[in-house]
Structure formats: structure tokens, C-alpha cells
Amino acid sequence: MVPLKKIQRYVKQYAEVIANILKCEVEIMDENLVRIAGTGYFEKEIGKRCEGFVYPHVFETEESHIIINPKENELCLNCKHREKCTEELEISSPIFYKGKVVGVIGLVCFTTKDRDRIIENIESYLKFTEQISDFISGKLFEVEEEIEKRDRVDIFKKIVNLYDKGVIVLDDKGNIVDINERAIKELKLDTQDLVGYPKINIIPKREKYEDK
């Protein structure tokens, strides 16, 4: 399973997009509750583990949560940073991957003005956040597919090179995709000749080749 850390660069971009559009601060946690992206106040907190109780609750319930006046919410009562907390509102949405929560997106407001602005369109903000969560999930699947494809190619190349007969692998245009050491030796090719994957023609075994 591909961890969010693997696509941290993309996750940071998503966090910035959310912050710019919704005009609030954003932080994104991975499966270990480590902050891998953050804007504004949270930017300097990247790489640190979340010590609050809201995000663990999102992992547990697998649901989005809207918390107004965090210090008064029951999830925040035991937080050691409660007395110093300056958050006015928090929206948390899970990031799913293969049916499992692998991260959390958190939208945070630090002023009553921003809080009231978001509350007026809370459903739209929540829906947008969940859509970004889906985009991140899609990127995880995309990266996994690329890794699997690369692994298959590596395995195929190993098999080709272990084969005791000459093997040349071509694409549909006749360009060399791979060639093993035995083929290079038997055909007396110079590895420099293979630079750029030159196009070659295959002549059937029974077809006579005549110079013109």
C-alpha cells in the first residue's frame, strides 16, 4: 500500500489549493498522524505528530467532523493544548485508500470572522474538502499503478537476461525495448548501436534475403 508520504509533494499542492480557495489554514496528516503538509501556521509544524484528539477520532469513525469553538467540544476537553488553543473552527475529512482511512485533511479558522464566513456555507466547504480527499486518493492509486508497472518491467528484464538464448524485445514500431546479453553477443552488436532504440526489421526464417 502506498503511503501518503510517497506523494507528499502533491499533497502539499492540494493543501495550498484548499487554503487559497477557502481562505483558511490547512493541514494534512498521514496514517501515523504526522503532519506532511500545512499552510500558514501549520507550515512550520510539518514533520511533527499531531497531539490532539480530533484526527484520531476521524480515523476511528471514518467520517468528516465539523467542530465549532474547539475548546468547548468534548473531543478537546482532554487536550493538553486546550487552554492555549486559538482555533475557532475545524473541519476534518478522512482520506480513503482501498477502503481504509490513510490520512486526514484539516481546515482550521483562527478568527471569528473566518469562522462565521465558513459556517454560512459549511456544506459547500465540507463537500469541497471531501472532493480534494478523493483527488489525493486517486493520486495514491495512480502512483501504485506506476510502481507495479515498473516492478513488472524489472522482473521481465531479469527473466530475459537469464534466458540462455538470444532475446530481442520490440515494440509495435520495431524499436528495441530490451535485448539480453546473449543476443548482443550472437549478433555481434556494439552497445553503442543500441542507443536510441534503433528500428530493426525482422526477416522470417524461411524468407531468403538478397542484396539488391
Side-chain angles (χ1 to χ4, degrees):
M1 184 173 285
V2 180
L4 277 179
K5 184 75 173 178
K6 191 76 174 180
I7 60 169
Q8 185 172 19
R9 179 164 63 91
Y10 297 99
V11 172
K12 287 181 178 180
Q13 292 174 354
Y14 287 128
E16 291 169 1
V17 167
I18 299 172
N20 288 332
I21 293 178
L22 303 187
K23 304 301 180 184
C24 61
E25 303 302 345
V26 179
E27 58 180 345
I28 299 179
M29 306 291 173
D30 67 8
E31 65 275 15
N32 297 312
L33 291 175
V34 173
R35 190 178 288 100
I36 62 172
T39 65
Y41 169 81
F42 299 114
E43 189 171 2
K44 66 179 182 298
E45 302 295 316
I46 294 176
K48 297 181 180 179
R49 194 174 190 279
C50 171
E51 297 180 342
F53 293 87
V54 178
Y55 297 149
H57 189 64
V58 173
F59 271 88
E60 181 181 346
T61 62
E62 300 184 346
E63 296 178 346
S64 296
H65 289 278
I66 300 171
I67 297 180
I68 302 173
N69 299 322
K71 287 192 292 186
E72 300 176 9
N73 190 278
E74 61 180 358
L75 289 175
C76 304
L77 294 180
N78 296 318
C79 178
K80 65 180 183 180
H81 301 294
R82 178 169 174 261
E83 294 303 321
K84 297 180 180 180
C85 181
T86 58
E87 296 181 9
E88 294 290 339
L89 179 142
E90 182 175 313
I91 298 176
S92 307
S93 294
I95 300 172
F96 288 97
Y97 178 48
K98 293 186 174 180
K100 178 182 177 182
V101 179
V102 296
V104 178
I105 299 178
L107 273 63
V108 180
C109 293
F110 289 98
T111 68
T112 55
K113 181 180 179 180
D114 287 335
R115 179 196 66 191
D116 294 342
R117 171 177 55 82
I118 289 182
I119 289 176
E120 287 181 3
N121 297 285
I122 193 68
E123 291 301 325
S124 296
Y125 282 93
L126 179 59
K127 184 176 182 181
F128 179 77
T129 306
E130 292 175 342
Q131 287 177 335
I132 295 296
S133 173
D134 290 340
F135 291 154
I136 294 175
S137 177
K139 189 63 183 179
L140 287 172
F141 278 103
E142 182 182 321
V143 170
E144 181 181 50
E145 187 175 313
E146 291 174 356
I147 292 174
E148 290 179 348
K149 182 178 180 181
R150 187 165 61 245
D151 289 344
R152 287 195 297 269
V153 170
D154 289 342
I155 292 173
F156 179 71
K157 285 185 176 182
K158 289 178 181 179
I159 293 174
V160 167
N161 285 320
L162 287 172
Y163 195 50
D164 62 356
K165 299 185 183 301
V167 177
I168 301 177
V169 182
L170 308 176
D171 61 18
D172 58 352
K173 295 180 180 179
N175 297 316
I176 297 176
V177 174
D178 197 13
I179 181 170
N180 67 0
E181 294 295 330
R182 183 62 180 269
I184 292 175
K185 181 178 180 180
E186 293 293 331
L187 296 174
K188 298 179 181 179
L189 296 175
D190 186 331
T191 53
Q192 291 298 318
D193 296 335
L194 304 178
V195 175
Y197 301 101
K199 182 174 182 179
I200 64 176
N201 295 318
I202 302 297
I203 301 175
K205 186 175 181 180
R206 296 181 181 177
E207 182 178 321
K208 183 178 180 182
Y209 179 81
E210 296 180 356
D211 292 328
K212 295 184 179 180

